[in-house]
Amino acid sequence: MKTYITYLMIAFALIACKSDDDNNTQNPLSQLPPMTTTGENTIGCLVNGEPFTDSGLMNNFYQFVNGESVLAINWEQGTTNNSKRGQIAISNIEIVEGETYIINISDFLEDDYNGSSGTFTTNTPQLFGQFETDQDNTGFITFIRFDDTNNIMSGTFQFEAKEITTGQIISITNGRFDLTFTN
């Protein structure tokens, strides 16, 4: 009887662990990379509640050109005919570790700007278009680490963006990044 009860307890534990594992893969937040600050080249967020991640090896940079600064964080997922791409750009603002910056400029509408913009483009069957932040659809980015000696930037972000043709709004939430960048 004692052996039977032990087998039942082990079987129950295995079922419980399997059930927890199933729940974790269904939880969109558990599919995002962990928040780190060591230059792991990870980035992820939820787009309308769905996970969107990338290796973080896109063209991320912080450069000074002709007296102006530009920081770009880029991430992409998918293939040519079924892709998603995100970008946060900060122009002519000094990046300081520990600071939060408002994302409220439209990259599409502004030729030359000072501030921060968020962009999301997609051609997936579920969602199609080019979405941009603007004065009404805003967000923020916080730099938990900004190390321009070792070229590492880490932090969190979120923003709402409007499709430039249809006016549809999307929500980018729970964004986190730990990236290396070039100068």
Side-chain angles (χ1 to χ4, degrees):
M1 180 72 171
K2 190 175 189 180
T3 303
Y4 178 73
I5 291 173
T6 302
Y7 283 126
L8 281 177
M9 289 172 49
I10 291 171
F12 178 75
L14 290 173
I15 291 168
C17 288
K18 174 71 173 137
S19 177
D20 286 345
D21 288 346
D22 289 345
N23 288 338
N24 283 340
T25 59
Q26 293 174 4
N27 176 356
L29 286 176
S30 70
Q31 296 176 47
L32 298 180
M35 185 65 232
T36 57
T37 60
T38 54
E40 299 294 321
N41 283 317
T42 58
I43 188 167
C45 61
L46 300 181
V47 178
N48 289 342
E50 296 295 319
F52 174 26
T53 61
D54 180 41
S55 67
L57 296 174
M58 297 288 294
N59 183 22
N60 303 303
F61 58 88
Y62 185 49
Q63 299 178 338
F64 291 88
V65 178
N66 297 326
E68 296 187 353
S69 66
V70 177
L71 178 132
I73 298 173
N74 298 287
W75 65 108
E76 186 172 8
Q77 180 185 73
T79 60
T80 302
N81 295 326
N82 191 10
S83 68
K84 297 182 253 181
R85 183 178 179 154
Q87 181 185 62
I88 296 173
I90 301 175
S91 181
N92 295 319
I93 296 176
E94 181 183 0
I95 306 301
V96 177
E97 187 174 291
E99 293 292 319
T100 297
Y101 302 89
I102 302 299
I103 303 172
N104 64 350
I105 303 290
S106 171
D107 193 35
F108 176 73
L109 297 175
E110 306 288 334
D111 290 329
D112 185 31
Y113 66 88
N114 295 324
S116 306
S117 66
T119 306
F120 177 77
T121 56
T122 177
N123 64 355
T124 64
Q126 303 84 8
L127 189 61
F128 186 86
Q130 180 173 328
F131 298 81
E132 301 273 348
T133 55
D134 58 26
Q135 291 295 317
D136 296 321
N137 300 283
T138 66
F140 66 86
I141 182 169
T142 301
F143 289 90
I144 296 169
R145 179 176 182 190
F146 191 79
D147 180 346
D148 58 356
T149 301
N150 295 302
N151 294 358
I152 296 172
M153 59 180 165
S154 307
T156 60
F157 64 92
Q158 71 178 40
F159 59 89
E160 286 190 344
K162 181 170 69 172
E163 207 287 321
I164 61 174
T165 305
T166 66
Q168 178 185 5
I169 306 294
I170 61 161
S171 183
I172 310 264
T173 59
N174 298 95
R176 53 190 80 163
F177 62 95
D178 182 21
L179 304 169
T180 57
F181 60 91
T182 60
N183 285 328

